[in-house]
Amino acid sequence: MNVVFYCYGGAHTSVTAANIYLGRLPIRRRASYHEILSQPGFDVAPHAQVGRLLPMGVDPFGNRVFCIGLGAGRLRLAAALAQWCAILGATDTQLALCNALVAANWAMRIGGFLSRRCGWVLLGRPLVTLGTWVAFPHMSRMVTHARACLIRPGQPQDPWLRPGVDAPAAVTDNRLEPEPMARAGFWGDCHSPDLRARTEDDHGQGATAHHTGGYPE
Amino acid sequence: MLVVYHCSCPLKSRLAAGIHAGRLPPQLPGRREVHAAVAQLAADSETAMDLIRGLPGLHVAGHDSAGAMVLAMGTGAPAWLTAQALGDFQVLLGARWPVLSCRLRDLPGFVQVLADLLAARPIARGRRLRAVLLSWVLRKAWLEAAAVAARARGLAAAGAGADGTPAVDTVAEMQ
């Protein structure tokens, strides 16, 4: 299963939701300002990364977790992408799309816009972090619901509910494997020549022939 | 092979896909023929109101002479964003067939606003006004869609995408 959290820019809301989902942020309490600010991938993706899948890690069930920003028309685009994946042969057990922006507030939207779109990081980053702190309980509830929807029948227990694993310090203990996420290029370890060949500034491409070379494990 | 046309405007993407699939003529037709094309696009969709409301999702326009499945995707999102998302999801899931992704140039702002306004009920209520506006939008987009479709047909016939090499930038040629 591939779990994809999507929001507007793929830099704050979906990243925070994915990190809560993966256990890097606490789900039973409100994360601190510093925890939110220091989570991997937060306020990192530039605007050119909108529309790109950002790998966040693997959950205890082996599901791969991704973030993506889909812009203003995210609902219609997500529906179209789901149909596109169905045409490509994906089944319901292979892909789950989760709208993370339902948990966002105006501080996150304005701060994210200032930081990512305008480049005013000094002004935007504290604002979006504060907004994330305010919206954190809502995001935790959303992720809890997403987890409940993704648990498959017959699984013995929910590994997230084990005591002590829902804190950032427990990332290495609960066998999660965070992927390397450098500021320059999330696909640094990608083995697909198709993805590696593409640069961040390829907006000028028109007809592009994509061919699957398999996804890196 | 899959050939997918994507653009911010659902009308334009369906127009290019229809031309590629041979259901619409590549030459810019007269006003009456454009009206007929609007009717045909409406008939291709699930309901006529889907066309007016913005055609959410993916539309299968048919197959071309080489057997490739032709798709249209117009979601209101910028074409470059859609192109990136399509490519990444394709790599993520591992498509069984080669894909030719054809990006159409987004409509000018005021035309896009007009196309979006067509989705509004007060304007969409008048059938004649709606048909006239839709025809005007289609006439603005017809020539570019036909040119991109012709190039994509050539690329598809040549087997582009089978070896993973990027195809030529059709949008840049149009500009």
Side-chain angles (χ1 to χ4, degrees):
Chain A
M1 168 81 80
N2 300 289
V3 184
V4 179
F5 290 95
Y6 66 91
C7 63
Y8 182 88
H12 305 106
T13 314
S14 58
V15 167
T16 305
N19 281 323
I20 296 173
Y21 180 93
L22 288 168
R24 294 176 184 143
L25 288 174
I27 199 168
R28 295 178 185 171
R29 64 171 174 84
R30 191 195 296 263
S32 68
Y33 183 93
H34 178 71
E35 285 174 330
I36 292 172
L37 191 57
S38 60
Q39 63 177 305
F42 186 75
D43 201 36
V44 168
H47 182 66
Q49 283 280 358
V50 173
R52 285 280 166 82
L53 282 170
L54 310 178
M56 296 298 294
V58 181
D59 74 2
F61 296 135
N63 303 322
R64 294 182 296 186
V65 182
F66 297 86
C67 291
I68 192 170
L70 294 181
R74 60 196 164 278
L75 294 179
R76 283 164 62 179
L77 185 53
L81 285 172
Q83 293 181 11
W84 168 247
C85 294
I87 286 180
L88 292 179
T91 61
D92 290 342
T93 58
Q94 282 184 279
L95 180 70
L97 286 162
C98 182
N99 181 13
L101 205 65
V102 294
N105 52 33
W106 282 105
M108 295 179 70
R109 295 170 198 261
I110 295 172
F113 181 81
L114 293 177
S115 176
R116 295 296 94 198
R117 192 65 186 269
C118 303
W120 300 346
V121 179
L122 284 178
L123 184 62
R125 186 170 290 175
L127 184 59
V128 71
T129 309
L130 182 64
T132 307
W133 183 83
V134 171
F136 200 86
H138 193 180
M139 300 181 77
S140 298
R141 285 196 297 274
M142 180 197 69
V143 172
T144 303
H145 179 71
R147 283 179 176 179
C149 293
L150 291 171
I151 292 175
R152 296 169 195 164
Q155 286 176 330
Q157 63 174 351
D158 182 0
W160 289 293
L161 299 182
R162 289 180 300 175
V165 300
D166 58 350
V171 169
T172 55
D173 298 331
N174 61 7
R175 289 177 292 175
L176 297 179
E177 297 175 1
E179 299 190 9
M181 300 179 65
R183 279 182 180 271
F186 287 97
W187 299 98
D189 292 339
C190 179
H191 300 294
S192 167
D194 184 57
L195 275 180
R196 188 186 292 168
R198 283 191 265 155
T199 60
E200 290 184 1
D201 187 20
D202 59 353
H203 292 180
Q205 286 191 349
T208 303
H210 299 301
H211 186 260
T212 55
Y215 192 79
E217 292 295 333
Chain B
M1 168 175 262
L2 298 175
V3 182
V4 55
Y5 289 89
H6 46 89
C7 175
S8 65
C9 178
L11 277 176
K12 193 172 172 182
S13 59
R14 288 205 178 197
L15 175 64
I19 293 172
H20 186 123
R23 309 180 78 167
L24 294 172
Q27 302 86 12
L28 179 63
R31 189 163 296 173
R32 288 186 179 179
E33 287 77 10
V34 173
H35 277 277
V38 171
Q40 183 174 345
L41 288 175
D44 285 347
S45 63
E46 291 73 18
T47 65
M49 283 309 291
D50 285 345
L51 183 70
I52 306 303
R53 285 175 175 160
L55 304 171
L58 199 63
H59 172 70
V60 181
H63 292 78
D64 66 3
S65 55
M69 180 185 284
V70 185
L71 308 164
M73 183 185 282
T75 60
W80 63 266
L81 195 160
T82 308
Q84 294 188 158
L86 284 178
D88 279 8
F89 273 86
Q90 179 191 340
V91 173
L92 174 70
L93 296 170
R96 301 166 191 166
W97 310 280
V99 176
L100 187 63
S101 176
C102 301
R103 201 187 94 191
L104 296 162
R105 189 168 47 178
D106 292 336
L107 289 176
F110 70 99
V111 179
Q112 186 64 56
V113 168
L114 178 61
D116 290 341
L117 280 177
L118 290 175
R121 283 177 179 272
I123 290 181
R125 208 167 270 167
R127 283 187 179 179
R128 186 170 180 79
L129 175 62
R130 189 174 68 204
V132 168
L133 292 175
L134 280 174
S135 301
W136 188 69
V137 170
L138 282 188
R139 284 177 67 87
K140 297 285 286 184
W142 199 290
L143 286 180
E144 187 210 335
V148 174
R151 178 146 188 83
R153 287 183 75 166
L155 290 170
D163 57 353
T165 55
V168 180
D169 185 356
T170 50
V171 174
E173 284 191 353
M174 296 310 301
Q175 292 169 344

